[in-house]
Amino acid sequence: MKKKLFLLLPLLLLTGCATSVCRHYAAAPGQVDSSGEAVVAELKGQNYGYFLFYGIPLWCGHGYRANEGEWDLWRNMVRPRDMRGMLSLRARHLGASGISDVKITERSSGFWSLWIIWRRSVEGQAFAVGKKSR
């Protein structure tokens, strides 16, 4: 029993660290994106998780339930397409018709664990554009 608890302790300590966050900021009056469409808000998101040998997902923040502190086991949600989905979902909640000028950055690090456990993250920025007509 003590061996099992000892092995699970590092995992339990890191589970609170795997999360996803998505925030929005008010756009400046008259702000437009690169195509000339009116900007509703600026969006920023981040999601990260831990992987065994870089490729096997252990646990990750849940990409489509940002800001809720939820995470998934054995499922990779740290991908650019999931970040794009997270930003699109936030834009829909704000009443925008879509997102534009998306910039996504991926990072990874395994040095701290001698490349056994990797921390991978994906960060994204976008503009929520155009109001939906009702």
Side-chain angles (χ1 to χ4, degrees):
M1 180 67 175
K2 287 184 181 182
K3 274 188 180 180
K4 287 181 185 177
L5 200 55
F6 178 74
L7 292 174
L8 286 176
L9 185 60
L11 293 176
L12 292 174
L13 291 175
L14 293 174
T15 55
C17 298
T19 187
S20 59
V21 177
C22 189
R23 294 193 166 102
H24 66 275
Y25 303 93
Q31 185 177 359
V32 294
D33 69 350
S34 61
S35 65
E37 204 167 353
V39 173
V40 175
E42 295 180 40
L43 307 172
K44 292 185 179 186
Q46 179 185 37
N47 191 11
Y48 55 95
Y50 293 91
F51 293 76
L52 183 62
F53 303 116
Y54 187 80
I56 303 169
L58 297 174
W59 60 95
C60 302
H62 196 289
Y64 296 97
R65 293 191 195 129
N67 305 331
E68 294 182 16
E70 293 190 26
W71 43 275
D72 281 331
L73 287 172
W74 320 119
R75 192 169 161 204
N76 184 3
M77 299 291 285
V78 184
R79 298 176 292 196
R81 72 177 187 186
D82 294 319
M83 177 53 60
R84 184 177 284 276
M86 179 194 303
L87 296 171
S88 294
L89 185 63
R90 176 53 65 107
R92 276 186 295 207
H93 286 302
L94 294 172
S97 61
I99 60 173
S100 70
D101 296 347
V102 179
K103 295 176 187 160
I104 295 178
T105 306
E106 295 180 88
R107 292 191 174 109
S108 59
S109 173
F111 177 73
W112 57 274
S113 69
L114 299 177
W115 298 278
I116 296 171
I117 305 291
W118 285 74
R119 182 183 189 268
R120 291 171 47 188
S121 69
V122 62
E123 297 174 6
Q125 292 179 305
F127 292 128
V129 293
K131 285 281 190 185
K132 289 183 180 176
S133 58
R134 295 186 186 222

PDB file of all heavy atoms in Angstrom, residues 102 108 112 125:
ATOM      1  N   VAL A 102      -5.667  34.271 -35.989  1.00  0.00           N
ATOM      2  CA  VAL A 102      -5.309  33.291 -34.957  1.00  0.00           C
ATOM      3  C   VAL A 102      -3.800  33.064 -34.957  1.00  0.00           C
ATOM      4  O   VAL A 102      -3.188  32.855 -36.000  1.00  0.00           O
ATOM      5  CB  VAL A 102      -6.041  31.958 -35.202  1.00  0.00           C
ATOM      6  CG1 VAL A 102      -5.666  30.935 -34.152  1.00  0.00           C
ATOM      7  CG2 VAL A 102      -7.538  32.169 -35.241  1.00  0.00           C
ATOM      8  N   SER A 108       7.205  22.714 -25.242  1.00  0.00           N
ATOM      9  CA  SER A 108       7.341  21.450 -24.513  1.00  0.00           C
ATOM     10  C   SER A 108       8.666  21.429 -23.768  1.00  0.00           C
ATOM     11  O   SER A 108       9.634  22.074 -24.182  1.00  0.00           O
ATOM     12  CB  SER A 108       7.253  20.264 -25.467  1.00  0.00           C
ATOM     13  OG  SER A 108       8.259  20.335 -26.442  1.00  0.00           O
ATOM     14  N   TRP A 112      13.407  18.568 -16.981  1.00  0.00           N
ATOM     15  CA  TRP A 112      13.284  18.459 -15.526  1.00  0.00           C
ATOM     16  C   TRP A 112      13.066  17.022 -15.057  1.00  0.00           C
ATOM     17  O   TRP A 112      13.304  16.701 -13.907  1.00  0.00           O
ATOM     18  CB  TRP A 112      12.175  19.369 -15.018  1.00  0.00           C
ATOM     19  CG  TRP A 112      10.848  19.094 -15.657  1.00  0.00           C
ATOM     20  CD1 TRP A 112      10.377  19.598 -16.836  1.00  0.00           C
ATOM     21  CD2 TRP A 112       9.832  18.227 -15.184  1.00  0.00           C
ATOM     22  NE1 TRP A 112       9.140  19.098 -17.121  1.00  0.00           N
ATOM     23  CE2 TRP A 112       8.768  18.251 -16.118  1.00  0.00           C
ATOM     24  CE3 TRP A 112       9.698  17.428 -14.056  1.00  0.00           C
ATOM     25  CZ2 TRP A 112       7.608  17.506 -15.958  1.00  0.00           C
ATOM     26  CZ3 TRP A 112       8.533  16.691 -13.890  1.00  0.00           C
ATOM     27  CH2 TRP A 112       7.516  16.740 -14.845  1.00  0.00           C
ATOM     28  N   GLN A 125      -3.969  33.093 -29.463  1.00  0.00           N
ATOM     29  CA  GLN A 125      -4.540  34.434 -29.452  1.00  0.00           C
ATOM     30  C   GLN A 125      -5.371  34.580 -30.712  1.00  0.00           C
ATOM     31  O   GLN A 125      -5.013  34.057 -31.762  1.00  0.00           O
ATOM     32  CB  GLN A 125      -3.454  35.502 -29.479  1.00  0.00           C
ATOM     33  CG  GLN A 125      -2.611  35.576 -28.246  1.00  0.00           C
ATOM     34  CD  GLN A 125      -1.552  36.651 -28.394  1.00  0.00           C
ATOM     35  OE1 GLN A 125      -0.784  36.650 -29.341  1.00  0.00           O
ATOM     36  NE2 GLN A 125      -1.533  37.571 -27.442  1.00  0.00           N
TER      37      GLN A 125
END
